Amino acid sequence: MSDGNQYDDDRYDDHDGVDHDGADGVEIPVGPAGDTSPADALPYGGDDDEVRRVEAALLARVGEQAPERRLHATRRAVELLGDPHLAYPVIHVTGTNGKTSTARMAESIVRAHGLRTGLMTSPHLVSIRERIVVDGEPIAAARFVENWDDIVPILEMTDAELTAKGELPLTFFEALTVLALACFAEAPVDVAVIEVGMGGEWDSTNVVQSQVAVFAPIAIDHAKQLGNTVAEIARTKSGIIKPSSAVVSSAQTPEALAELERAAELTESTLAVEGTGFSVVSATPAVGGQLVTVQGVAGRYDDLFVPMFGQHQAHNAALAIAAVEQFLGRGSQALDEDVLSEGLAAATSPGRLQPIAQDPTVVVDAAHNPHGARALAEALPVAFPSGHVVGVVGILGDKDARGFVRALRDTVQTFVVTQPPGDRALDADAFARIVVAEVGEDRVVVEPSLEQALHEARDLADEADAEDALVLVAGSIVMVGRVMDLVHAEGER
């Protein structure tokens, strides 16, 4: 889910330090995600006053970090709208880490098959319009505003009914969900890929009637809202499984898998799990990403170009492929390999191990919990080999800060401790005490101002006794978005 309501949880042609020949001497052209500059990768600065008006109206509602455990509110709103969410089939994606990348890859593959797609993800990095994507592009500002104005009377009617019963009005995320579902119906789309906000069972996106339920890796996060054990969290997430649907899951812990198996059996759904139902056969680093061979549910696909870095993205790609196989042919028909290759090569996942500047190289990653940080620690040295990594780190107060630092302490040589924007951020000094306890005082610099922290980190990378020193920004999605905005602003000056 999000690291907050606002700005909260593509690549250059040439990446310094990346093995351009790959492990086996393979060299391939950089795909669509690799030849886009950061300035063009997202709708930076593209939101006019009208979009900001809509965003302000959404932000005036109860925030998405305080979700209501209910579906009836969203259900009532879409019912009053004429049930727009029933106008198209849905691939529903949940999990703790990797669900956004998986959703984006699945959408790109489906779109390559000639279908008009909708994609809802959260949170956004820079523009709220990133959360509602139609045919691979953030919804146009005019359509975003017009659709909002169309549904406002319905939202107000629903709010009044809820208030009369002593309940809270629709929350930020409930209202945003209604807006996204209405936008997809108005487009119209042939299929929507929808990422769960938080959990699953009572998440507002669960009003959809999905044909495929997708589970990225499940770990402990948002414990206050979801539970203190993996089993509890998996039980809540399993609530997205609809009767007689197709379920695909990444490899899970035994506790999580048991909950998914139970839910699939109760709903008489099929279940394909990574490792037995499908798998990553191989993954080889290449220019701008990696070459991945996948044994899918219905076929084997060799040397697919995935324009994202890290072993975890290879597994996300396999999960996305399995999801699309189930959606298009109920897992009984292999995908056309050329179409699949086109779809994967066009996929992007902004803010996930993404280089945004050079001299020194600056890489941003949305990892904000120990599970994500461990994946980052494994992927960074492969994608961007470096003799000295300067980490700009900040985290939210409700995250496992110590676990996050422990996952990165052998990868990051110098920590520049700062704090993300927003009132949920852990104070830089308080975070610094945790970092010092884990890595030692000599490896820590404290700079509460994010802009100054980035400047300091660049200077430290330039001064480091390593030609390939780089800056890594991680710990909060809102912080990553703000840094991307700062770097983009530099390019405009």
Side-chain angles (χ1 to χ4, degrees):
M1 179 71 167
S2 167
D3 276 343
N5 285 357
Q6 188 176 18
Y7 307 158
D8 185 39
D9 223 69
D10 248 325
R11 297 185 166 92
Y12 295 111
D13 289 340
D14 193 20
H15 300 297
D16 291 345
V18 176
D19 180 2
H20 288 192
D21 291 328
D24 298 316
V26 177
E27 182 167 349
I28 61 175
V30 176
D35 55 17
T36 303
S37 70
D40 298 325
L42 289 171
Y44 294 106
D47 290 345
D48 56 23
D49 288 342
E50 284 294 280
V51 171
R52 286 189 282 273
R53 170 177 67 83
V54 174
E55 184 172 21
L58 283 163
L59 290 171
R61 294 175 175 271
V62 172
E64 54 190 322
Q65 283 299 316
E68 290 292 294
R69 290 168 172 76
R70 64 187 187 188
L71 276 182
H72 65 272
T74 308
R75 243 189 221 119
R76 179 57 175 157
V78 292
E79 177 187 25
L80 291 171
L81 275 173
D83 290 326
H85 61 300
L86 302 181
Y88 41 82
V90 170
I91 299 173
H92 207 182
V93 185
T94 190
T96 301
N97 290 295
K99 60 184 186 291
T100 299
S101 295
T102 300
R104 292 177 71 94
M105 282 190 265
E107 181 275 336
S108 189
I109 295 168
V110 171
R111 180 158 39 90
H113 281 80
L115 297 177
R116 185 170 172 81
T117 57
L119 173 66
M120 179 183 179
T121 59
S122 61
H124 58 278
L125 289 167
V126 177
S127 167
I128 194 169
R129 293 185 293 110
E130 297 165 37
R131 297 184 182 228
I132 303 173
V133 173
V134 176
D135 253 359
E137 297 292 336
I139 188 168
R143 302 309 303 153
F144 179 78
V145 173
E146 289 168 13
N147 282 318
W148 171 259
D149 289 339
D150 285 345
I151 71 169
V152 163
I154 297 300
L155 299 181
E156 291 175 344
M157 190 181 306
T158 307
D159 288 342
E161 291 181 2
L162 291 168
T163 303
K165 293 189 294 184
E167 297 188 48
L168 285 173
L170 292 164
T171 66
F172 169 95
F173 196 71
E174 287 172 334
L176 183 68
T177 298
V178 175
L179 175 60
L181 298 177
C183 288
F184 295 152
E186 188 271 342
V189 302
D190 298 315
V191 54
V193 180
I194 295 179
E195 177 190 346
V196 166
M198 184 183 295
E201 180 182 10
W202 40 258
D203 184 78
S204 60
T205 65
N206 204 30
V207 297
V208 302
Q209 293 300 310
S210 59
Q211 284 64 47
V212 181
V214 184
F215 294 85
I218 298 172
I220 294 178
D221 198 10
H222 300 293
K224 181 179 177 182
Q225 295 91 348
L226 303 180
N228 294 310
T229 68
V230 171
E232 286 180 276
I233 295 171
R235 193 173 307 128
T236 299
K237 293 182 184 293
S238 71
I240 71 168
I241 300 175
K242 303 300 190 297
S244 301
S245 60
V247 183
V248 294
S249 173
S250 63
Q252 304 286 359
T253 63
E255 307 95 302
L257 183 57
E259 292 297 332
L260 300 187
E261 289 173 336
R262 178 194 59 81
E265 182 178 359
L266 288 174
T267 57
E268 298 182 328
S269 299
T270 62
L271 173 61
V273 180
E274 183 182 5
T276 55
F278 61 95
S279 62
V280 175
V281 177
S282 65
T284 305
V287 178
Q290 55 191 308
L291 291 176
V292 178
T293 295
V294 172
Q295 176 59 57
V297 174
R300 177 182 166 114
Y301 313 99
D302 294 315
D303 293 333
L304 299 168
F305 176 58
V306 177
M308 302 172 202
F309 301 101
Q311 185 74 17
H312 59 295
Q313 294 291 16
H315 291 281
N316 291 339
L319 182 61
I321 290 168
V324 176
E325 285 179 315
Q326 293 286 20
F327 177 74
L328 293 178
R330 292 291 290 190
S332 62
Q333 183 176 345
L335 303 176
D336 181 283
E337 197 149 353
D338 289 339
V339 176
L340 172 59
S341 295
E342 177 188 340
L344 269 183
T348 62
S349 197
R352 276 75 180 173
L353 209 61
Q354 180 183 359
I356 61 169
Q358 294 177 310
D359 300 323
T361 298
V362 177
V363 177
V364 296
D365 192 85
H368 57 276
N369 56 36
H371 186 278
R374 285 191 292 272
L376 170 58
E378 292 175 4
L380 185 70
V382 177
F384 302 97
S386 172
H388 192 99
V389 176
V390 180
V392 177
V393 294
I395 202 164
L396 299 186
D398 61 351
K399 301 297 180 183
D400 181 359
R402 192 172 299 276
F404 175 83
V405 175
R406 284 178 178 170
L408 291 178
R409 64 186 174 190
D410 294 332
T411 302
V412 174
Q413 282 69 51
T414 304
F415 288 82
V416 179
V417 179
T418 187
Q419 59 194 57
D423 56 12
R424 292 180 56 233
L426 180 61
D427 176 77
D429 288 331
F431 188 26
R433 287 192 289 273
I434 295 172
V435 180
V436 167
E438 291 297 324
V439 307
E441 188 173 359
D442 59 329
R443 292 172 58 189
V444 179
V445 176
V446 184
E447 178 47 73
S449 164
L450 180 56
E451 187 169 4
Q452 289 302 314
L454 180 62
H455 179 74
E456 177 75 13
R458 284 167 147 171
D459 285 348
L460 288 170
D462 284 337
E463 296 166 5
D465 188 20
E467 291 184 5
D468 53 0
L470 64 83
V471 174
L472 169 69
V473 181
S476 167
I477 300 171
V478 58
M479 189 172 74
V480 165
R482 177 60 182 146
V483 166
M484 294 173 77
D485 223 7
L486 288 170
V487 170
H488 171 71
E490 292 172 0
E492 289 189 327
R493 289 199 291 266

